[in-house]
Amino acid sequence: MKTEYPRGWHALFNAALNGELTEVDSERLAALLQSSSEARQLWFLYHDNEAGLAELPSPAELIPQGTAEAKASSRWFQWRPLAAAAAGLVIGLFSATVLASYAMSSQEKTVTLLREDFESGPAPLVTGVPLQAGVWSGDYTAVVGEQTPQGVKPASGRRMLHFLRADYEGKAQPEGSYFSDVYRLIDLRPYRATYGDGGAVVQLSGSFNAFHFPESERYGCSMSLYALDAATATNGSTRHGAELRESLAMARNSRVMLDRDPKTWQRSNVELRLPPNTDFLLVHISVDHANRDQRRVTFDGHYLDDVRLTLGRRPLLR
């Protein structure tokens, strides 16, 4: 596969995953998937990051029928009910390449970019997306200890992050918000000499918990990664949503629905292959009100802990 992914591919794939394709874009994506094996391979990796194997949306309508890829896609989705139980199974044309891409090279060192237990350091800012690297910022949150009345203990250490609200200082119309977001900007420029060839993968993971909330309420959590160039990352005009439009590449995991047991921490993760010209990485972590008719700005007892971000290598798809 080419070591530098065309930015237009990512825009098309993101639009398809978000249900925002125009008729013209649909035709363009269909033509791309028909003509490029590289695009087809990256398309399936996008689905894996976005929805998880058990929730893969079918690209069958986008791949011209009668091709080998269309037949492989059809066979895959006949097996979709079994995907959650056999997440390592990939059927058809893409099985060898996708599975091979998940083998991290043992000859390359994995670098820990972030290890956050909220035990020390400054409190997160409440000013939205950060414009400087190395700090947490976003909506209103607080670093707290064990919450005895709610029965929530930190996943590790004595501290954890408490999501409080779905707005930040100066945010317009906060009553329309239902996601509580935190961000961290990571400077990757010191690693470009070793990892800037298109073969690098970043992996983000974190643990979520919630107090025992009513059966009528539902909450979810999600994690995203955005690869940015220096101009986008440091531009004061880039705020919520702009990073998605201007990013070199992005990945978002499937939303994890929070259970009602405060004694259990639920682990979530996402990964992204970095384009060669990546200067910064934007980490985005959030919880949300999943009830469309009960969305509100405040959060009562929702927590984040044990955040890990690593940088390593994987073989490029062939």
Side-chain angles (χ1 to χ4, degrees), residues 8-317:
W9 290 12
H10 298 288
L12 278 176
F13 295 166
N14 287 327
L17 292 171
N18 293 325
E20 299 173 351
L21 280 180
T22 65
E23 183 176 349
V24 173
D25 285 340
S26 296
E27 295 176 355
R28 181 184 169 200
L29 180 54
L32 176 63
L33 293 175
Q34 180 183 25
S35 62
S36 172
S37 62
E38 297 172 351
R40 289 192 292 270
Q41 291 166 347
L42 187 59
W43 167 257
F44 271 73
L45 290 180
Y46 254 70
H47 282 306
D48 190 19
N49 278 330
E50 173 67 20
L53 292 177
E55 300 177 4
L56 288 174
S58 173
E61 295 181 0
L62 298 173
I63 301 177
Q65 300 304 303
T67 65
E69 290 81 3
K71 295 176 181 178
S73 174
S74 176
R75 290 195 301 272
W76 165 259
F77 290 103
Q78 291 172 6
W79 283 82
R80 191 171 65 171
L82 301 180
L89 181 62
V90 180
I91 300 173
L93 176 66
F94 306 100
S95 58
T97 55
V98 173
L99 289 176
S101 73
Y102 276 79
M104 185 72 79
S105 172
S106 60
Q107 299 178 355
E108 298 290 348
K109 180 181 178 181
T110 298
V111 177
T112 298
L113 299 173
L114 177 65
R115 184 181 180 92
E116 181 63 86
D117 296 313
F118 303 101
E119 297 298 305
S120 61
L125 304 176
V126 291
T127 53
V129 178
L131 298 179
Q132 68 271 24
V135 298
W136 289 102
S137 183
D139 293 330
Y140 287 100
T141 59
V143 176
V144 299
E146 178 180 348
Q147 302 296 288
T148 304
Q150 298 177 340
V152 181
K153 297 181 179 180
S156 61
R158 298 189 299 174
R159 302 287 182 179
M160 56 189 173
L161 186 71
H162 184 190
F163 294 94
L164 297 175
R165 295 180 59 85
D167 60 341
Y168 54 88
E169 288 182 353
K171 183 176 182 178
Q173 298 179 331
E175 65 277 2
S177 301
Y178 57 93
F179 281 85
S180 184
D181 304 300
V182 291
Y183 302 85
R184 191 173 179 114
L185 193 62
I186 308 295
D187 190 348
L188 296 180
R189 291 174 294 183
Y191 306 98
R192 286 189 65 172
T194 304
Y195 295 94
D197 62 351
V201 173
V202 285
Q203 297 176 320
L204 173 68
S205 62
S207 295
F208 295 84
N209 203 349
F211 74 138
H212 183 81
F213 49 88
E215 292 289 337
S216 60
E217 298 181 9
R218 298 172 63 245
Y219 298 89
C221 58
S222 59
M223 312 179 81
S224 304
L225 293 169
Y226 298 86
L228 307 173
D229 58 26
T232 301
T234 58
N235 186 349
S237 65
T238 58
R239 280 321 208 185
H240 287 273
E243 285 75 18
L244 177 59
R245 295 191 299 271
E246 301 297 331
S247 63
L248 304 173
M250 66 84 63
R252 182 173 60 246
N253 68 342
S254 57
R255 184 173 60 177
V256 174
M257 301 309 298
L258 295 176
D259 62 29
R260 293 176 172 81
D261 185 356
K263 295 181 180 180
T264 63
W265 284 85
Q266 295 171 253
R267 197 72 178 167
S268 181
N269 59 79
V270 64
E271 64 180 47
L272 173 68
R273 187 182 291 276
L274 293 176
N277 51 338
T278 302
D279 295 313
F280 289 87
L281 183 73
L282 182 66
V283 172
H284 176 199
I285 303 175
S286 67
V287 296
D288 68 274
H289 295 287
N291 301 64
R292 294 183 178 273
D293 57 341
Q294 298 179 16
R295 290 173 176 172
R296 59 184 187 275
V297 177
T298 59
F299 288 79
D300 297 324
H302 302 82
Y303 305 92
L304 170 70
D305 203 0
D306 194 24
V307 179
R308 301 289 183 265
L309 180 68
T310 59
L311 171 66
R313 301 185 65 83
R314 284 184 178 167
L316 292 174
L317 293 173

